[in-house]
Amino acid sequence: RQMCIRDSQRFQLENINPSRIIVCGAGVEHHGEFVALVESKLGSIPSVEGTQVRTREKTEYLGGETRNLTEANDISIALTFESVPWTNPNMAAFNVLNTIIGSCSSFSTGGPGKGMHARATKRFLNAHHFVESASGINFHFSDSGLFGLQVNGVSTYAGQLTDLLVRELRALAEPIPEEEVRRAKNILKSNIFQALERQGDVLEEGVKNLKTFGSLDGIGNYARIVDAVTGDQINSIVRDILRSKPTLIVQGGDVGRVPSLDKIHNQLQ
C-alpha cells in the first residue's frame, strides 16, 4: 500500500522524540540564545512515553554465503567474520589490523602515503598478476561488528583468489613484525587527526562519543588507545574470529570455482 501522512506521523512518534535528541553546537557565543533557538525549532516535538516509543532489538550475526553469477570476466570475493561493537576493548586492535592490511587497486599501486607498505599492496597486488584490487573490511556497530578481506581479480583464477584470502587471513594470526605494527598505528593516528581538523568534525565526533560511550573523554584519548595495541593482541583477535562462522559473498564470473563455505572454514582452522 502507499504511504500516507499517518504513517509519517507514527514513524515520528516512535522514533523522533525528545528523549532521543541531542543538540550540540560549536562556536556558540551566547548559550541562552542558542537554547532559545533550539526550543523555537524543536520545542513542538511531542514527548512520547511508554510503549509508543520504538525500542531497537539487539542484532544477531548469522553468517552464511551468497553467490551472484554475472557475465563479467572478473570476480569479487569477500570473506568476513563477526568482530566486536564500538564499546569493546578490542575495537582499536581491529582498526590497527585493518590499517596493516590497507587497500590497493591496479589503478593506484601505492606510493608514499598511499599504502605502499600495506599487505594489500605487497602480498596481494604486487605478488599476484591475477589480483586487481584488495582491501580489508572493518565495521563496528552497536551490538557487533564485521572484519574480513575482499579481493577482486580475474574470474578464471577464482580458486587461487580464495586460497590467497585464506592464506593471508591465517598469516594475520602469526607474529607480526613490530615495525609493521608501529607503522600501522602511526598511519591510523594520522588519519584520525586529519579527520578531526575542523571544528564541525570534532563536534560530530563528540556527539557520537556521547551517544556511544556516555562521555566526551574518548576524543582526547584516541592516540593513547591506538598506541596501547600490541602485536600479540592482534594475533589473539584474529585467532578468535577465525574460529567463528564466516560470511562469504561472491559476485562475478565463474563463481562456482570458489570452494564451499564449509571447505573454506575448515582451511582456516
Side-chain angles (χ1 to χ4, degrees):
R1 67 183 181 86
Q2 293 184 339
M3 289 185 61
C4 63
I5 187 63
R6 294 188 62 182
D7 295 323
S8 300
Q9 291 172 338
R10 181 165 55 251
F11 177 86
Q12 176 179 328
L13 290 173
E14 292 176 344
N15 297 277
I16 305 174
N17 54 77
S19 64
R20 292 186 171 186
I21 296 176
I22 294 179
V23 180
C24 296
V28 177
E29 296 184 4
H30 304 287
H31 182 262
E33 293 181 2
F34 178 69
V35 172
L37 178 62
V38 172
E39 289 180 344
S40 68
K41 299 296 183 181
L42 303 179
S44 60
I45 298 178
S47 178
V48 180
E49 304 294 340
T51 57
Q52 285 182 286
V53 178
R54 180 180 294 275
T55 57
R56 185 182 62 83
E57 296 181 359
K58 186 176 181 179
T59 56
E60 180 183 359
Y61 172 83
L62 298 177
E65 70 175 287
T66 180
R67 302 178 186 229
N68 182 25
L69 177 63
T70 69
E71 297 181 356
N73 293 324
D74 60 354
I75 190 170
S76 175
I77 307 172
L79 186 60
T80 65
F81 304 82
E82 182 179 22
S83 61
V84 298
W86 281 111
T87 53
N88 190 283
N90 285 323
M91 185 270 291
F94 275 103
N95 281 273
V96 174
L97 174 58
N98 187 57
T99 308
I100 289 175
I101 298 168
S103 64
C104 69
S105 71
S106 56
F107 297 102
S108 179
T109 55
K114 297 172 62 179
M116 60 186 297
H117 296 291
R119 293 198 175 193
T121 301
K122 296 172 62 177
R123 302 175 67 147
F124 282 82
L125 189 67
N126 291 351
H128 303 279
H129 70 276
F130 49 82
V131 174
E132 297 176 353
S133 67
S135 64
I137 299 173
N138 185 46
F139 297 103
H140 301 285
F141 308 105
S142 298
D143 301 323
S144 185
L146 285 176
F147 182 85
L149 296 178
Q150 176 176 335
V151 64
N152 294 69
V154 183
S155 60
T156 53
Y157 288 88
Q160 290 92 322
L161 289 167
T162 307
D163 292 340
L164 180 59
L165 281 180
V166 171
R167 183 166 66 249
E168 291 303 321
L169 280 167
R170 294 185 62 178
L172 292 169
E174 301 172 356
I176 302 173
E178 179 58 32
E179 179 183 3
E180 191 174 10
V181 176
R182 184 171 59 253
R183 181 187 298 116
K185 291 197 288 187
N186 288 338
I187 292 173
L188 179 57
K189 288 187 292 183
S190 176
N191 291 339
I192 292 173
F193 294 146
Q194 288 181 22
L196 296 176
E197 286 183 340
R198 298 185 304 173
Q199 188 180 47
D201 296 328
V202 176
L203 176 65
E204 180 182 351
E205 188 68 13
V207 174
K208 292 178 179 178
N209 268 263
L210 190 61
K211 287 293 292 181
T212 304
F213 305 107
S215 72
L216 298 175
D217 298 335
I219 297 179
N221 295 326
Y222 284 169
R224 179 185 58 81
I225 294 172
V226 171
D227 284 332
V229 174
T230 66
D232 289 341
Q233 182 183 6
I234 293 174
N235 294 150
S236 177
I237 61 175
V238 172
R239 286 192 289 268
D240 286 343
I241 64 171
L242 293 185
R243 286 192 288 265
S244 66
K245 183 178 181 180
T247 297
L248 175 68
I249 301 175
V250 185
Q251 178 168 308
D254 295 309
V255 296
R257 293 177 182 264
V258 177
S260 67
L261 182 62
D262 289 338
K263 183 176 181 179
I264 293 174
H265 194 197
N266 290 334
Q267 291 175 338
L268 289 167
Q269 305 309 305

